[in-house]
Amino acid sequence: MAIKNDVIRFGPAGNSDSFYQQGYKSSVDMPRWLHGMGLTAYEYTCTHGVNIGEDTARAIGEEARKWDIVLSVHAPYYINLVTKDEDKRAKTKRHIMDSLKVARWMGAKRVVFHPGSCSQMDRRTALEIALDFLKEILEEARDFIEEGIHLCPETMGKVNQLGTVDEVLEMCLLHESLIPTLDFGHINAMGGGSIKSQEDYLCIINRVKEVLGEDRARYFHCHFSRIEYSAGGEKRHWTLKDTQYGPEFEPLAEVLASLDLKPIIICESRGTMAEDAVRLKEITLQKIHLFNAGIL
Ligand SMILES: [Zn+2]
């Protein structure tokens, strides 16, 4: 399984406001721009549909290789594995296959997707439908998987969405190529503020290790941002400066340092995702330094 990263990588989901303010217009310029900031990952977002052409995707891929930026693709929000309706299933399949194709053009190795909605069903029934459908999709995606592209189901932030940590891990059990996307802002929002300490992060990582083994617990895909929530879960993404919203990144950085984890960490702050990704990297490097010095 070729999911191993040499180092922890940091980057944004999509393009920061500052990128456009500096006069840039095309994502083809992002890899060089990110490299200039000291970042090493970039999640290309197809969240409102897969609209990118092959030439642009290939150009982004070439730039990314030139500037040592690891690429991932975020598939459309419209994906829903929890349906038996043939028409809706065809649409979901198309969104996933289109995202895989974009990943192939770019040379991206990870495609992140949201599992779907529980609607009025109990969670177990919803999960069974999703698992069944995901099996069918994996069959259709076999060529992409053999090329080393990983589908990465994401933990979700709203209570009515499918995607608790355990639900995502159960999906990942279907095939060894599936990598969990741990979105700690989402996990915290769904749990009504469940992430407060190093212990809370450790508990989640240990659960991944217990269910999926060492490799996928070490090289997982990560989304991080501060997220506002209400009783139903996720309400809104904020930036690192909006400290009234959790979760805190520092205790996660301590866990990354002490367990020598190598995830790809994608920052989803609103507007300042690249700047905040730099900050996440700084915090992590500082914790690794302290850990190596025996202080942590
Ligand atoms: Zn997402």
Side-chain angles (χ1 to χ4, degrees), residues 5 7 49 60 128 139 166 192 202 216 237 255 261 268 294:
N5 311 307
V7 288
I60 292 171
E128 292 296 342
E139 195 56 44
D166 277 333
L202 205 54
R216 283 187 275 184
H237 285 231
V255 171
L261 304 179
E268 291 193 317

Side-chain angles (χ1 to χ4, degrees), residues 27-207:
S27 297
V28 177
D29 292 322
M30 270 300 272
R32 183 164 52 97
W33 190 80
L34 293 173
H35 179 81
M37 294 179 81
L39 293 170
T40 47
Y42 175 40
E43 191 149 293
Y44 185 85
T45 53
C46 298
T47 41
H48 296 288
V50 179
N51 301 313
I52 184 172
E54 179 170 355
D55 289 348
T56 309
R58 288 193 184 279
I60 292 171
E62 261 168 50
E63 282 295 293
R65 283 184 289 283
K66 192 152 120 197
W67 300 102
D68 186 32
I69 303 292
V70 161
L71 296 173
S72 48
V73 171
H74 197 307
Y77 288 148
Y78 319 120
I79 285 167
N80 187 3
L81 298 180
V82 191
T83 177
K84 289 185 163 174
D85 181 291
E86 277 311 318
D87 193 43
K88 287 181 186 155
R89 280 165 87 100
K91 284 193 180 116
T92 278
K93 228 185 235 180
R94 203 191 64 226
H95 288 312
I96 291 186
M97 297 309 288
D98 285 352
S99 303
L100 287 165
K101 202 163 62 185
V102 169
R104 173 189 277 162
W105 291 335
M106 284 185 180
K109 294 297 180 213
R110 296 181 176 195
V111 172
V112 176
F113 71 92
H114 296 179
S117 160
C118 293
S119 21
Q120 307 303 326
M121 276 170 248
D122 72 271
R123 302 197 77 90
R124 189 69 225 176
T125 311
L127 180 60
E128 292 296 342
I129 294 171
L131 288 169
D132 224 49
F133 189 16
L134 185 53
K135 256 186 244 167
E136 191 181 314
I137 290 169
L138 290 172
E139 195 56 44
E140 195 153 326
R142 196 164 6 150
D143 288 352
F144 294 97
I145 293 167
E146 278 170 11
E147 282 170 34
I149 301 175
H150 302 267
L151 282 168
C152 307
E154 179 176 342
T155 58
M156 298 311 299
K158 291 192 179 118
V159 175
N160 65 5
Q161 289 169 313
L162 190 69
T164 61
V165 172
D166 277 333
E167 286 161 355
V168 164
L169 296 181
E170 199 165 334
M171 284 178 224
C172 289
L173 273 178
L174 284 181
H175 196 274
E176 59 168 11
S177 72
L178 294 164
I179 298 174
T181 299
L182 301 179
D183 185 317
F184 292 106
H186 280 166
I187 297 169
N188 186 58
M190 169 110 67
S194 55
I195 299 181
K196 291 192 174 59
S197 64
Q198 221 190 103
E199 195 56 40
D200 296 329
Y201 282 111
L202 205 54
C203 193
I204 296 165
I205 303 291
N206 282 336
R207 184 78 188 128

